[in-house]
Amino acid sequence: MIGVLALQGDFEAHVDALRRAGVAAREVRGADEILDSRGLVLPGGESTTFRKLMDGTGIEDAILTVARRGDPVLGTCAGAILLARDVEGPPSQGLGLLPMTVVRNAYGRQLDSSIVRLTDVAPGALGEEPLEAVFIRAPRISAVDPSVEVLARRDGDPVLVRKGNVTAATFHPELTDDRRVLDLFLSGRPCA
Amino acid sequence: MTPISGFQLTSPFASDEFRVKVGLAEMLKGGVIMDVVDADQAKLAEDAGAAAVMALERVPADIRRDGGVARMSPVAKIREIESAVSIPVMAKCRIGHLAEARILESLEVDFIDESEVLTPADGENHVYKHDYKVPFVCGCRNLGEALRRIGEGAAMIRTKGEAGTGDIVHAVKHLREVTRQIKALTLLTKDEWMAAAKNLGAPFELVAWVATYGRLPVPNFAAGGIATPADAALCRMLGAEAVFVGSGIFKSSDPAKRARAIVEATTHFQDPARIVKASEDLGEGMKGIEAAKLTEAEQLQTRGW
């Protein structure tokens, strides 16, 4: 069972996308439910809201435990901000599961949100077809440690990255019918 | 469909632009959008965990109390709020006020609420929202009204409720009505869709969509009269995907605490123990007005067509 963190944001879209792919998924709102999941999605939404609702609940430690025991973890947009080590705009610390720096709302306000067909993608992981990427008030990954694999770029900036079982996208694969990012996340899943 | 001298019927709903508008509405689900009049209130809302703030000139309770024409928030206030917070900033324009809508779009607000809370600028027409790059939210009392607004391009729907009263009864009525009408549509055969569209006063294509999928094609939020954490949880239980809180926060004795509590109850609406915890030691709520005591002329929900 994949858990989708449902404190706030587009968690329903993630649950729907996983179920369409034939994967069992449910909304999770507490540390125990997170620890019971064999894979975790941190959805889009407002990262400041997530942080307030996580405060003092043990959720952060539960996410770290799930990631460190090797279960697949995917963060999209606000979820990617949570996974990062350093956050700017305003400055704060993320969970540090991905050694990278993320700048919040770096592409501007909603008027700058757009759907982009990404062509700068790693063919080994994603194939040759352009990747449809929905960017909504997206953060920008401004720096990555060499240990982080960059799987797609937009105008040179990394937008899809992976380190072991932890994957992050600054866009929303759950809002398209293109399943490749979802498959990539699920491929980090241990047996059964 | 064959083009008639160059005119072609195309659905704007499948466009990248509309998908991106609905995308932001998706991101706000499970959250609380708080009415604010200045930067200090916006900061308080953000610190409490609001998913977005809504800029307006006066909160609805003050509009009720002081009367006069309620308009879009002053430009300087909107700029001040935009620079104070990192969460999305929404702002209200008057119904049918094309120029206020263009001003708000130029100010790069993230969502425009074409709202019955402000004094309407047009007694017959709403803004044609597909012509704007910024997404719009509109209020409704029933399914026909919701689908008319979506037909014009709204990317999010909310109940009207009865703003500025602190009385939840109309938000409940509107949520239940929309849900009941959606359920009723799903029971119809295709032969009955056109008559349903006629009776609802709604575009046929959207009636067909709702009858097929059993939900609105855009997110459905609650607004109008939410004053306590329990009110917010109630709206979520009735199917609202997020809540707007207007006067309920800044007309209470401890706005910061109440704002935080409403955020908590909105997320954990299925967990009574969490709602109890959020509801403790909140101080005085807004006094409010029993909505049933309002005459029709005093109701804001009757504005919009």
Side-chain angles (χ1 to χ4, degrees), chain B residues 55-67:
Chain B
L56 75 175
E57 188 188 30
R58 294 175 278 165
V59 295
D62 288 340
I63 294 173
R64 256 181 211 296
R65 192 193 59 202
D66 301 337

Side-chain angles (χ1 to χ4, degrees), chain B residues 157-170:
Chain B
I157 288 296
R158 57 170 175 77
T159 60
K160 287 180 170 172
E162 190 52 43
T165 60
D167 187 343
I168 196 67
V169 67
H170 286 281

Side-chain angles (χ1 to χ4, degrees), chain A residues 134-187:
Chain A
V134 182
F135 289 93
I136 312 267
R137 285 173 47 95
R140 187 169 79 91
I141 298 173
S142 61
V144 291
D145 184 85
S147 64
V148 176
E149 225 182 324
V150 176
L151 299 171
R153 293 178 187 272
R154 172 189 180 182
D155 302 330
D157 292 332
V159 292
L160 177 65
V161 298
R162 177 171 67 174
K163 185 182 180 188
N165 56 325
V166 181
T167 309
T170 58
F171 55 93
H172 295 280
E174 71 280 11
L175 297 183
T176 75
D177 293 324
D178 192 325
R179 275 190 41 188
R180 282 175 287 168
V181 175
L182 199 59
D183 289 339
L184 192 76
F185 153 63
L186 294 169
S187 70

Side-chain angles (χ1 to χ4, degrees), chain B:
Chain B
M1 198 163 287
T2 315
I4 302 164
S5 49
F7 181 85
Q8 211 159 358
L9 280 174
T10 52
S11 168
F13 296 102
S15 69
D16 281 6
E17 212 163 73
F18 194 72
R19 286 175 63 198
V20 161
K21 291 174 179 177
V22 175
L24 181 57
E26 290 284 337
M27 298 311 143
L28 297 170
K29 281 186 176 178
V32 182
I33 300 146
M34 301 183 190
D35 276 1
V36 298
V37 300
D38 58 26
D40 288 343
Q41 290 189 352
K43 281 300 292 174
L44 183 149
E46 184 176 51
D47 289 343
V53 292
M54 171 75 74
L56 75 175
E57 188 188 30
R58 294 175 278 165
V59 295
D62 288 340
I63 294 173
R64 256 181 211 296
R65 192 193 59 202
D66 301 337
V69 176
R71 309 181 178 93
M72 179 188 85
S73 184
V75 167
K77 288 285 178 194
I78 293 169
R79 288 216 168 100
E80 161 191 320
I81 291 166
E82 283 179 336
S83 37
V85 295
S86 65
I87 56 178
V89 174
M90 302 186 173
K92 286 187 193 289
C93 78
R94 286 179 263 177
I95 289 172
H97 204 309
L98 313 179
E100 283 189 352
R102 286 295 179 199
I103 291 169
L104 293 175
E105 182 177 54
S106 300
L107 289 170
E108 299 193 6
V109 302
D110 296 294
F111 239 103
I112 296 176
D113 185 357
E114 186 186 15
S115 176
E116 71 285 357
V117 169
L118 306 187
T119 312
D122 190 322
E124 207 166 339
N125 308 292
H126 285 248
V127 173
Y128 184 72
K129 293 164 269 287
H130 281 303
D131 277 351
Y132 293 70
K133 198 160 184 282
V134 63
F136 278 75
V137 52
C138 289
C140 77
R141 292 188 292 171
N142 53 52
L143 183 59
E145 198 173 10
L147 296 183
R148 287 194 294 279
R149 298 294 84 81
I150 297 167
E152 294 157 354
M156 179 201 293
I157 288 296
R158 57 170 175 77
T159 60
K160 287 180 170 172
E162 190 52 43
T165 60
D167 187 343
I168 196 67
V169 67
H170 286 281
V172 168
K173 184 178 172 194
H174 301 159
L175 276 172
R176 288 224 186 255
E177 181 67 2
V178 170
T179 307
R180 188 188 63 73
Q181 290 180 307
I182 289 175
K183 278 188 199 154
L185 275 190
T186 63
L187 302 176
L188 302 183
T189 62
K190 289 176 185 169
D191 316 279
E192 297 169 296
W193 288 353
M194 187 58 85
K198 180 182 143 196
N199 293 333
L200 289 167
F204 174 79
E205 286 72 17
L206 292 175
V207 168
W209 198 96
V210 172
T212 305
Y213 294 102
R215 60 178 179 86
L216 288 182
V218 303
N220 182 21
F221 293 6
I226 296 164
T228 68
D231 290 344
L234 170 62
C235 291
R236 295 279 280 127
M237 287 171 184
L238 294 175
E241 294 167 311
V243 300
F244 289 82
V245 186
S247 319
I249 290 170
F250 290 103
K251 288 291 163 190
S252 72
S253 64
D254 189 342
K257 209 163 179 185
R258 185 164 294 258
R260 183 74 188 77
I262 292 175
V263 169
E264 189 79 14
T266 301
T267 292
H268 297 288
F269 71 100
Q270 290 156 314
D271 184 346
R274 297 292 288 266
I275 306 175
V276 171
K277 198 156 162 260
S279 304
E280 273 175 320
D281 301 324
L282 285 183
E284 290 288 313
M286 74 179 281
K287 183 158 180 295
I289 306 165
E290 189 185 341
K293 299 257 163 69
L294 296 173
T295 64
E296 186 154 339
E298 291 170 318
Q299 291 184 0
L300 302 176
Q301 61 179 282
T302 53
R303 299 163 163 183
W305 354 101

